[in-house]
Amino acid sequence: MATPAAAQERPSYGTGGRRSRFRPGWSLMQYGLLTFFLLVFLVPFIWIWSSAFKESREIARDPFGLPATLRWDNLQEAWTTGQFDRYMGNTVIYCAAIVTGVVVLSCMAGYALALLPLPARGPILVVFLLGLMVPFQSVMIPIYYFLQDLNLLGTYWAFIIPGIALRLSFGIFLMRGFFRGLPPELADAARLDGANEWQTFRQVMLPLSVPGIATLVVLQFINTWNAFLMPLVFVQRDELRPVALGTLFFFGRFTADRGLIAAGVTISMLPMIVIFLLLQRRFIEGITAGALKS
Amino acid sequence: MAQLVTQPRSGARYGVGRHWSRYRAGYLFLAPSVILYAMFMIYPFFQSIYLSFTDWNGVGEIGDFVGLQNYREMIRDDLLWQSLGHNAIWVVLGTIGPLILGLALAMLLWRQPKGFTLFRTVYFLPQVLSPVIIAIVWGWVYNPVFGLLNEGLDAIGLETISRGWLGDSSTALYAVLVAAIWAETGFVFVVFLAGLQSVSRDLLEAATLDGANAWQRLKDVTIPQLSNVITVITALLLIGGFSVFDIIFVMTGGGPNHSTEVIATYTYTEAFVQNRAGYSATLSLILTVISLVASVVFIRFRERGAQ
């Protein structure tokens, strides 16, 4: 009951940082809980990773122990029979194309909607925003037949083009918000100096929006790398599959061989884990910003 | 040339030429996005609406116009209502679960204790992995023959509970849901962690001095200051929950006996397995309507919160 009063009396939003009194009991319980959840999140992965290094007999005999010796046979076999080299290559192509496309188009359109004179700016924005609320399922059937008519179904474009188009709503919204936060006087100054609109955008405003672009790149990269339903529907040929989809078909083909499956899954998640560990802060900041600004 | 954009609108005549020179830059910047968006979003969306009035089977010429027949069938379609029921369970538990777990983990790491980065990295890890991987890993956990869960239950003497979690109609939905909550918690956790940075510690200390216990501090001081973050997370989880597809499709494919069927898996099956493009389009529009309503309710809430 005393708290609302306290809230009114002390509206100061201090940065805090003061540590409260050391309480060993609490600290012990805190670390107990933290470790418990650490195991909850980690044990399934460790189980898979260690199975990847075991022979089938060893898995059958001791399914949960750590491998006696690290055997790379499973990993090697999974890499070649599972065609993971091809799937990884495809995924890199898809990520490069879709992330670039989304970022370039979203920056241009977001900039126009934020800072350039446009008739009917409001309605245009609303039409793009409505796209955020339309689930992929509502457009996938017509897009599928549209791609078929364009003869694109057996090509990389079948995932790249809709992959860009369906993420524009989010990208434009994010970048427009970012450009609106920049002082428009900067653009005016550049124009007075004789820069045309493209130069103003490219050389003055775009460099200032790097933090926004970083958020967009991170989100689109994770989304594209892990995309499942869109390539499942639009990517028909095995040799064009991205790695998430390839992993599923690999899993379906070798269900009985546990060592091989574990190896395939391990290979499949490895690049993302490495990238995540290297760029952790960017990833977490990107995801947080993406959530809180949308 | 370069200054036309900033030039005040003087002359009396306002023709096409003037219009073009004033807005040219804006149009050109917007054009590629508008073209792509119109071709692959707006046009397909209206095409979906049109298809929902046909009995097209996905092959050849678009089928006959059948009026409201698909919609009538939909209302009588038990499987649809069953799927929507599963969506409802999914949305409620799949929102509350990550909210509570994510907030708890964020509170535990609020003051950045030793090992902060390690804990944060591990909790967040499932978020960067594909749902396919999450689904395969959890499929193993639930495996009736060698799964981690059954072995664990056996080890602590609860072998009577162990079963084929995904093969049993009564547990399959909840088993998949647990995997989804496990995967989603990391996201909610980092957003809460960011939100907690703006929660005033002075207020909390004042509340402590006034004799508020831990639960009262959480309920009356911390959570009210997080209300914006909670609204955002809830909205994202709700909208994601209605259109959930990946993890269910990989783990159970909607089975056994439709016990994990949700509207998205049902739509997929109708479209690409049954080849009923017309009816599937109708189902997908229901999903759109639900998403729209959820978004509008969310925006309302947010506006009310902002006032």
Side-chain angles (χ1 to χ4, degrees), chain B residues 12 24 59 76 81 92 112 114 119 129 140 153 192 199 223 245 249-250 295:
Chain B
R24 185 185 55 179
V59 186
R76 283 183 272 109
W81 295 107
V92 172
Q112 310 211 346
K114 275 208 186 67
F119 291 119
L129 298 174
W140 269 39
L153 288 172
F192 268 132
V199 168
I223 288 185
F245 176 82
F249 183 78
V250 179
S295 309

PDB file of all heavy atoms in Angstrom, chain B residues 12 24 59 76 81 92 112 114 119 129 140 153 192 199 223 245 249-250 295:
ATOM      1  N   ALA B  12       1.073  29.738 -59.971  1.00  0.00           N
ATOM      2  CA  ALA B  12      -0.355  29.474 -59.853  1.00  0.00           C
ATOM      3  C   ALA B  12      -0.723  28.156 -60.504  1.00  0.00           C
ATOM      4  O   ALA B  12      -1.564  27.431 -60.009  1.00  0.00           O
ATOM      5  CB  ALA B  12      -1.152  30.606 -60.508  1.00  0.00           C
ATOM      6  N   ARG B  24       9.296  13.963 -57.715  1.00  0.00           N
ATOM      7  CA  ARG B  24      10.041  12.950 -58.458  1.00  0.00           C
ATOM      8  C   ARG B  24      10.925  12.092 -57.561  1.00  0.00           C
ATOM      9  O   ARG B  24      10.885  10.865 -57.621  1.00  0.00           O
ATOM     10  CB  ARG B  24      10.896  13.624 -59.525  1.00  0.00           C
ATOM     11  CG  ARG B  24      11.609  12.630 -60.416  1.00  0.00           C
ATOM     12  CD  ARG B  24      12.538  13.325 -61.365  1.00  0.00           C
ATOM     13  NE  ARG B  24      13.468  14.169 -60.620  1.00  0.00           N
ATOM     14  CZ  ARG B  24      14.421  14.890 -61.159  1.00  0.00           C
ATOM     15  NH1 ARG B  24      14.554  14.920 -62.465  1.00  0.00           N
ATOM     16  NH2 ARG B  24      15.225  15.620 -60.427  1.00  0.00           N
ATOM     17  N   VAL B  59      -4.816 -26.780 -60.331  1.00  0.00           N
ATOM     18  CA  VAL B  59      -4.281 -27.211 -61.622  1.00  0.00           C
ATOM     19  C   VAL B  59      -5.080 -26.545 -62.730  1.00  0.00           C
ATOM     20  O   VAL B  59      -6.305 -26.474 -62.662  1.00  0.00           O
ATOM     21  CB  VAL B  59      -4.368 -28.750 -61.779  1.00  0.00           C
ATOM     22  CG1 VAL B  59      -3.671 -29.186 -63.061  1.00  0.00           C
ATOM     23  CG2 VAL B  59      -3.748 -29.439 -60.581  1.00  0.00           C
ATOM     24  N   ARG B  76     -19.257 -25.350 -41.084  1.00  0.00           N
ATOM     25  CA  ARG B  76     -19.629 -26.700 -40.649  1.00  0.00           C
ATOM     26  C   ARG B  76     -18.419 -27.624 -40.491  1.00  0.00           C
ATOM     27  O   ARG B  76     -18.587 -28.799 -40.208  1.00  0.00           O
ATOM     28  CB  ARG B  76     -20.620 -27.302 -41.659  1.00  0.00           C
ATOM     29  CG  ARG B  76     -22.023 -26.758 -41.501  1.00  0.00           C
ATOM     30  CD  ARG B  76     -22.990 -27.415 -42.465  1.00  0.00           C
ATOM     31  NE  ARG B  76     -23.035 -26.716 -43.739  1.00  0.00           N
ATOM     32  CZ  ARG B  76     -22.530 -27.204 -44.881  1.00  0.00           C
ATOM     33  NH1 ARG B  76     -21.958 -28.380 -44.900  1.00  0.00           N
ATOM     34  NH2 ARG B  76     -22.614 -26.510 -45.996  1.00  0.00           N
ATOM     35  N   TRP B  81     -12.732 -26.017 -36.527  1.00  0.00           N
ATOM     36  CA  TRP B  81     -13.011 -25.561 -35.158  1.00  0.00           C
ATOM     37  C   TRP B  81     -12.075 -26.227 -34.170  1.00  0.00           C
ATOM     38  O   TRP B  81     -11.609 -25.610 -33.211  1.00  0.00           O
ATOM     39  CB  TRP B  81     -14.475 -25.800 -34.801  1.00  0.00           C
ATOM     40  CG  TRP B  81     -15.355 -24.945 -35.660  1.00  0.00           C
ATOM     41  CD1 TRP B  81     -16.145 -25.339 -36.682  1.00  0.00           C
ATOM     42  CD2 TRP B  81     -15.460 -23.514 -35.599  1.00  0.00           C
ATOM     43  NE1 TRP B  81     -16.747 -24.257 -37.268  1.00  0.00           N
ATOM     44  CE2 TRP B  81     -16.352 -23.127 -36.624  1.00  0.00           C
ATOM     45  CE3 TRP B  81     -14.891 -22.531 -34.787  1.00  0.00           C
ATOM     46  CZ2 TRP B  81     -16.690 -21.793 -36.855  1.00  0.00           C
ATOM     47  CZ3 TRP B  81     -15.225 -21.205 -35.019  1.00  0.00           C
ATOM     48  CH2 TRP B  81     -16.111 -20.846 -36.039  1.00  0.00           C
ATOM     49  N   VAL B  92      -2.738 -19.107 -25.493  1.00  0.00           N
ATOM     50  CA  VAL B  92      -2.782 -18.786 -24.059  1.00  0.00           C
ATOM     51  C   VAL B  92      -1.524 -19.294 -23.357  1.00  0.00           C
ATOM     52  O   VAL B  92      -0.773 -18.521 -22.752  1.00  0.00           O
ATOM     53  CB  VAL B  92      -4.048 -19.386 -23.409  1.00  0.00           C
ATOM     54  CG1 VAL B  92      -3.987 -19.227 -21.901  1.00  0.00           C
ATOM     55  CG2 VAL B  92      -5.283 -18.707 -23.962  1.00  0.00           C
ATOM     56  N   GLN B 112      23.231  -8.126 -13.192  1.00  0.00           N
ATOM     57  CA  GLN B 112      24.409  -8.616 -13.888  1.00  0.00           C
ATOM     58  C   GLN B 112      25.393  -9.307 -12.952  1.00  0.00           C
ATOM     59  O   GLN B 112      26.532  -8.847 -12.782  1.00  0.00           O
ATOM     60  CB  GLN B 112      25.112  -7.465 -14.625  1.00  0.00           C
ATOM     61  CG  GLN B 112      24.148  -6.665 -15.465  1.00  0.00           C
ATOM     62  CD  GLN B 112      24.812  -6.080 -16.701  1.00  0.00           C
ATOM     63  OE1 GLN B 112      26.022  -6.049 -16.816  1.00  0.00           O
ATOM     64  NE2 GLN B 112      24.004  -5.633 -17.624  1.00  0.00           N
ATOM     65  N   LYS B 114      27.965 -12.337 -11.507  1.00  0.00           N
ATOM     66  CA  LYS B 114      29.061 -13.061 -12.182  1.00  0.00           C
ATOM     67  C   LYS B 114      28.490 -14.132 -13.109  1.00  0.00           C
ATOM     68  O   LYS B 114      27.556 -14.828 -12.751  1.00  0.00           O
ATOM     69  CB  LYS B 114      29.939 -13.741 -11.137  1.00  0.00           C
ATOM     70  CG  LYS B 114      31.000 -12.842 -10.562  1.00  0.00           C
ATOM     71  CD  LYS B 114      32.219 -13.664 -10.111  1.00  0.00           C
ATOM     72  CE  LYS B 114      33.219 -12.787  -9.396  1.00  0.00           C
ATOM     73  NZ  LYS B 114      32.672 -12.278  -8.090  1.00  0.00           N
ATOM     74  N   PHE B 119      25.228 -17.020 -18.930  1.00  0.00           N
ATOM     75  CA  PHE B 119      23.812 -17.362 -18.771  1.00  0.00           C
ATOM     76  C   PHE B 119      22.986 -16.776 -19.903  1.00  0.00           C
ATOM     77  O   PHE B 119      22.148 -17.439 -20.508  1.00  0.00           O
ATOM     78  CB  PHE B 119      23.281 -16.859 -17.419  1.00  0.00           C
ATOM     79  CG  PHE B 119      23.837 -17.596 -16.242  1.00  0.00           C
ATOM     80  CD1 PHE B 119      24.573 -16.946 -15.266  1.00  0.00           C
ATOM     81  CD2 PHE B 119      23.619 -18.960 -16.100  1.00  0.00           C
ATOM     82  CE1 PHE B 119      25.091 -17.630 -14.178  1.00  0.00           C
ATOM     83  CE2 PHE B 119      24.126 -19.660 -15.010  1.00  0.00           C
ATOM     84  CZ  PHE B 119      24.865 -18.982 -14.054  1.00  0.00           C
ATOM     85  N   LEU B 129      18.441 -20.446 -33.617  1.00  0.00           N
ATOM     86  CA  LEU B 129      18.429 -21.685 -34.391  1.00  0.00           C
ATOM     87  C   LEU B 129      17.104 -21.856 -35.114  1.00  0.00           C
ATOM     88  O   LEU B 129      16.061 -21.357 -34.685  1.00  0.00           O
ATOM     89  CB  LEU B 129      18.676 -22.873 -33.466  1.00  0.00           C
ATOM     90  CG  LEU B 129      20.048 -22.840 -32.776  1.00  0.00           C
ATOM     91  CD1 LEU B 129      20.169 -23.959 -31.775  1.00  0.00           C
ATOM     92  CD2 LEU B 129      21.162 -22.911 -33.805  1.00  0.00           C
ATOM     93  N   TRP B 140      13.695 -35.906 -30.419  1.00  0.00           N
ATOM     94  CA  TRP B 140      14.552 -36.887 -29.737  1.00  0.00           C
ATOM     95  C   TRP B 140      14.250 -36.936 -28.249  1.00  0.00           C
ATOM     96  O   TRP B 140      14.206 -38.008 -27.654  1.00  0.00           O
ATOM     97  CB  TRP B 140      16.019 -36.513 -29.952  1.00  0.00           C
ATOM     98  CG  TRP B 140      16.627 -37.155 -31.159  1.00  0.00           C
ATOM     99  CD1 TRP B 140      16.031 -37.343 -32.364  1.00  0.00           C
ATOM    100  CD2 TRP B 140      17.948 -37.694 -31.268  1.00  0.00           C
ATOM    101  NE1 TRP B 140      16.901 -37.958 -33.219  1.00  0.00           N
ATOM    102  CE2 TRP B 140      18.090 -38.182 -32.577  1.00  0.00           C
ATOM    103  CE3 TRP B 140      19.021 -37.788 -30.391  1.00  0.00           C
ATOM    104  CZ2 TRP B 140      19.258 -38.773 -33.027  1.00  0.00           C
ATOM    105  CZ3 TRP B 140      20.195 -38.372 -30.842  1.00  0.00           C
ATOM    106  CH2 TRP B 140      20.312 -38.863 -32.150  1.00  0.00           C
ATOM    107  N   LEU B 153      12.573 -40.007 -16.552  1.00  0.00           N
ATOM    108  CA  LEU B 153      11.474 -40.434 -15.691  1.00  0.00           C
ATOM    109  C   LEU B 153      11.756 -41.820 -15.110  1.00  0.00           C
ATOM    110  O   LEU B 153      11.506 -42.066 -13.921  1.00  0.00           O
ATOM    111  CB  LEU B 153      10.163 -40.451 -16.486  1.00  0.00           C
ATOM    112  CG  LEU B 153       9.596 -39.085 -16.840  1.00  0.00           C
ATOM    113  CD1 LEU B 153       8.407 -39.223 -17.787  1.00  0.00           C
ATOM    114  CD2 LEU B 153       9.164 -38.329 -15.591  1.00  0.00           C
ATOM    115  N   PHE B 192      12.899  -8.388 -21.880  1.00  0.00           N
ATOM    116  CA  PHE B 192      12.684  -7.965 -20.488  1.00  0.00           C
ATOM    117  C   PHE B 192      13.967  -7.407 -19.881  1.00  0.00           C
ATOM    118  O   PHE B 192      13.942  -6.422 -19.142  1.00  0.00           O
ATOM    119  CB  PHE B 192      12.192  -9.138 -19.633  1.00  0.00           C
ATOM    120  CG  PHE B 192      10.694  -9.239 -19.573  1.00  0.00           C
ATOM    121  CD1 PHE B 192      10.060 -10.455 -19.782  1.00  0.00           C
ATOM    122  CD2 PHE B 192       9.911  -8.126 -19.304  1.00  0.00           C
ATOM    123  CE1 PHE B 192       8.676 -10.555 -19.731  1.00  0.00           C
ATOM    124  CE2 PHE B 192       8.537  -8.221 -19.252  1.00  0.00           C
ATOM    125  CZ  PHE B 192       7.922  -9.435 -19.467  1.00  0.00           C
ATOM    126  N   VAL B 199      13.830   0.418 -15.347  1.00  0.00           N
ATOM    127  CA  VAL B 199      13.055   0.373 -14.102  1.00  0.00           C
ATOM    128  C   VAL B 199      13.868   1.047 -13.010  1.00  0.00           C
ATOM    129  O   VAL B 199      15.043   0.767 -12.836  1.00  0.00           O
ATOM    130  CB  VAL B 199      12.744  -1.090 -13.718  1.00  0.00           C
ATOM    131  CG1 VAL B 199      12.215  -1.166 -12.305  1.00  0.00           C
ATOM    132  CG2 VAL B 199      11.732  -1.672 -14.676  1.00  0.00           C
ATOM    133  N   ILE B 223       6.549  -4.447 -12.188  1.00  0.00           N
ATOM    134  CA  ILE B 223       5.690  -4.783 -13.323  1.00  0.00           C
ATOM    135  C   ILE B 223       4.978  -3.558 -13.921  1.00  0.00           C
ATOM    136  O   ILE B 223       4.932  -3.416 -15.142  1.00  0.00           O
ATOM    137  CB  ILE B 223       4.716  -5.913 -12.932  1.00  0.00           C
ATOM    138  CG1 ILE B 223       5.524  -7.213 -12.816  1.00  0.00           C
ATOM    139  CG2 ILE B 223       3.596  -6.071 -13.948  1.00  0.00           C
ATOM    140  CD1 ILE B 223       4.724  -8.443 -12.546  1.00  0.00           C
ATOM    141  N   PHE B 245       3.406 -22.570 -37.224  1.00  0.00           N
ATOM    142  CA  PHE B 245       3.424 -23.630 -38.230  1.00  0.00           C
ATOM    143  C   PHE B 245       4.649 -24.538 -38.090  1.00  0.00           C
ATOM    144  O   PHE B 245       4.514 -25.747 -37.887  1.00  0.00           O
ATOM    145  CB  PHE B 245       3.394 -23.022 -39.634  1.00  0.00           C
ATOM    146  CG  PHE B 245       3.516 -24.037 -40.730  1.00  0.00           C
ATOM    147  CD1 PHE B 245       2.410 -24.749 -41.165  1.00  0.00           C
ATOM    148  CD2 PHE B 245       4.749 -24.318 -41.311  1.00  0.00           C
ATOM    149  CE1 PHE B 245       2.516 -25.708 -42.154  1.00  0.00           C
ATOM    150  CE2 PHE B 245       4.863 -25.276 -42.310  1.00  0.00           C
ATOM    151  CZ  PHE B 245       3.746 -25.967 -42.731  1.00  0.00           C
ATOM    152  N   PHE B 249       4.612 -28.574 -37.588  1.00  0.00           N
ATOM    153  CA  PHE B 249       4.722 -29.316 -38.842  1.00  0.00           C
ATOM    154  C   PHE B 249       5.865 -30.329 -38.782  1.00  0.00           C
ATOM    155  O   PHE B 249       5.716 -31.476 -39.202  1.00  0.00           O
ATOM    156  CB  PHE B 249       4.938 -28.339 -39.994  1.00  0.00           C
ATOM    157  CG  PHE B 249       5.004 -28.996 -41.336  1.00  0.00           C
ATOM    158  CD1 PHE B 249       3.846 -29.405 -41.977  1.00  0.00           C
ATOM    159  CD2 PHE B 249       6.228 -29.210 -41.960  1.00  0.00           C
ATOM    160  CE1 PHE B 249       3.901 -30.011 -43.222  1.00  0.00           C
ATOM    161  CE2 PHE B 249       6.292 -29.817 -43.207  1.00  0.00           C
ATOM    162  CZ  PHE B 249       5.122 -30.226 -43.833  1.00  0.00           C
ATOM    163  N   VAL B 250       7.009 -29.924 -38.232  1.00  0.00           N
ATOM    164  CA  VAL B 250       8.155 -30.830 -38.195  1.00  0.00           C
ATOM    165  C   VAL B 250       7.976 -31.901 -37.115  1.00  0.00           C
ATOM    166  O   VAL B 250       8.297 -33.064 -37.336  1.00  0.00           O
ATOM    167  CB  VAL B 250       9.472 -30.052 -37.975  1.00  0.00           C
ATOM    168  CG1 VAL B 250      10.650 -31.012 -37.916  1.00  0.00           C
ATOM    169  CG2 VAL B 250       9.685 -29.050 -39.100  1.00  0.00           C
ATOM    170  N   SER B 295      -4.134  -7.581 -33.906  1.00  0.00           N
ATOM    171  CA  SER B 295      -3.298  -6.391 -34.032  1.00  0.00           C
ATOM    172  C   SER B 295      -4.047  -5.131 -33.625  1.00  0.00           C
ATOM    173  O   SER B 295      -3.504  -4.261 -32.943  1.00  0.00           O
ATOM    174  CB  SER B 295      -2.806  -6.229 -35.472  1.00  0.00           C
ATOM    175  OG  SER B 295      -2.237  -7.409 -35.931  1.00  0.00           O
TER     176      SER B 295
END
